[in-house]
Amino acid sequence: MAKIIDGKQISMQVKMQVKEEVQQLTEQQISVCLAVVIVGNDPASRVYVNNKKKACDLVGIQSMEYALPEETTQQELLTLIEKLNQDKQINGILVQLPLPKGIDEKKVIETISPQKDVDAFHAVNVGKIMIGNYDFLPCTPAGCMDLIRSTGVEIQGKHCVVIGRSNIVGKPMSMLMLHENATVTICHSKTVNLKEVCQTADILIAAVGKANLVTADMVKQGAVVIDVGMNRLPNGKLCGDVDFQTVQEVAGYITPVPGGVGPMTIATLMKNTVTAAKVQNQ
Ligand code: NAP
């Protein structure tokens, strides 16, 4: 039976470390402030934004919310971001995705100053991650790394399979595992032998968005299984990409959904905001 990796507990440890760092900065008269921009009325985005603001309150980071109506134009949003880029009080800028139709997400991300890009989505930060010389790590993959490290399982030399190749999760996740000397395989919707590839994974990371895609017969005995997926079932329940009930019989370690990767994403955002404040005050 797999050991459950408790993302809630580990994320709380990270947030307490961040809280200490915020206190130290306050003693040096440095305040830490995150601007959170939300456009439109997507209920899931509202929940995420509220959770991020709660985390800011907990660790002592000031959060400034900019809630814009659904009909906001791309130019209006870009103008706000440019204003936040110039504002010395703001250390980090987070634009909650997805954005309403008609707004080009790529353009929005590229407008955020790389020094304030606490999601690490800007091409400059993505490039820095590629060469292993970065200030920020993207929140979800960095959170997954902390969860994997918490198991004590050595990463070096292990076969890591990442299912999903998105710019925000799959690709950076693969890069972080490569930096840790894992041998990495990336799978996607065109992978023909997904089951066979997954069966060889010592560390399996699912970032797809399909409930129960990963079943017990795809998992190697004792593997570390990290479930990034967040799927809403017809009954309203939240579940991951991994069939938790059956996979926990085979895996060595497994993250639950909820209570696994999700809280780590927010904890890393707090870490990145403090890093931004430190870099800007050097
Ligand atoms: P995405 O942009 O939709 O990417 C999904 C990836 O899965 C794509 O690369 C796609 O392949 C691949 N895929 C789709 N069907 C597949 C299949 N049958 N077999 C193998 N690969 C398949 O999604 P994302 O933004 O990376 O997010 C992935 C999941 O993580 C979602 O459920 C999302 O809600 C969740 N998420 C959670 C957190 C958190 O904090 N917990 C943060 C971010 C995302 P192609 O590239 O070929 O299309």
Side-chain angles (χ1 to χ4, degrees):
M1 196 71 149
K3 287 195 181 124
I4 294 177
I5 307 173
D6 187 345
K8 265 194 189 166
Q9 193 209 333
I10 298 166
S11 70
M12 190 48 81
Q13 289 166 5
V14 174
K15 283 188 277 191
M16 288 304 108
Q17 281 164 11
V18 172
K19 188 174 182 171
E20 268 181 38
E21 287 181 54
V22 173
Q23 276 164 357
Q24 285 163 10
L25 288 172
T26 308
E27 283 160 20
Q28 300 164 43
Q29 321 297 329
I30 297 169
S31 61
V32 185
C33 182
L34 175 68
V36 182
V37 181
I38 176 169
V39 188
N41 313 309
D42 178 45
S45 291
R46 172 43 63 196
V47 172
Y48 295 141
V49 164
N50 288 350
N51 288 341
K52 287 166 187 176
K53 284 168 60 189
K54 263 191 226 158
C56 283
D57 290 346
L58 180 75
V59 303
I61 293 176
Q62 194 192 345
S63 64
M64 308 269 275
E65 182 179 314
Y66 297 83
L68 307 181
E70 185 83 26
E71 53 281 4
T72 301
T73 64
Q74 177 167 309
Q75 192 48 54
E76 285 166 338
L77 179 56
L78 298 184
T79 303
L80 170 64
I81 294 170
E82 277 155 9
K83 196 180 113 211
L84 297 173
N85 283 343
Q86 299 304 323
D87 187 339
K88 290 206 160 42
Q89 297 305 311
I90 304 281
N91 304 109
I93 302 170
L94 178 138
V95 178
Q96 185 63 48
L97 303 179
L99 290 166
K101 278 196 192 107
I103 300 184
D104 178 355
E105 281 183 6
K106 277 192 198 143
K107 180 78 192 145
V108 169
I109 290 168
E110 292 311 300
T111 304
I112 298 172
S113 158
Q115 287 77 32
K116 297 190 178 185
D117 170 39
V118 284
D119 265 332
F121 291 165
H122 192 287
V124 166
N125 289 322
V126 174
K128 285 181 160 188
I129 292 158
M130 283 286 284
I131 59 172
N133 175 21
Y134 45 77
D135 291 319
F136 310 119
L137 287 176
C139 299
T140 301
C144 292
M145 293 305 295
D146 283 344
L147 293 177
I148 296 166
R149 287 194 196 99
S150 78
T151 65
V153 169
E154 195 180 5
I155 299 173
Q156 176 158 309
K158 296 286 165 59
H159 184 207
C160 172
V161 173
V162 180
I163 321 176
R165 56 173 166 180
S166 69
N167 288 335
I168 63 169
V169 189
K171 280 186 208 162
M173 187 70 235
S174 310
M175 197 48 59
L176 298 189
M177 291 303 284
L178 190 60
H179 288 325
E180 295 291 328
N181 297 323
T183 301
V184 182
T185 304
I186 307 173
C187 298
H188 46 77
S189 67
K190 308 293 183 287
T191 299
V192 286
N193 51 346
L194 183 68
K195 180 175 160 183
E196 289 73 21
V197 176
C198 290
Q199 282 170 342
T200 66
D202 303 301
I203 301 169
L204 179 61
I205 298 158
V208 176
K210 287 206 159 83
N212 300 328
L213 177 84
V214 176
T215 47
D217 58 341
M218 297 166 75
V219 177
K220 183 173 172 177
Q221 193 77 38
V224 177
V225 178
I226 305 292
D227 191 353
V228 183
M230 283 213 286
N231 310 295
R232 194 64 71 179
L233 294 173
N235 65 8
K237 258 184 89 179
L238 194 65
C239 78
D241 292 342
V242 175
D243 179 8
F244 184 86
Q245 289 310 327
T246 61
V247 172
Q248 69 170 341
E249 306 281 341
V250 187
Y253 296 88
I254 188 168
T255 59
V257 178
V261 174
M264 295 303 293
T265 298
I266 296 183
T268 310
L269 174 69
M270 300 298 106
K271 235 196 235 185
N272 283 351
T273 307
V274 169
T275 302
K278 284 183 180 168
V279 171
Q280 288 156 27
N281 283 282
Q282 266 170 5

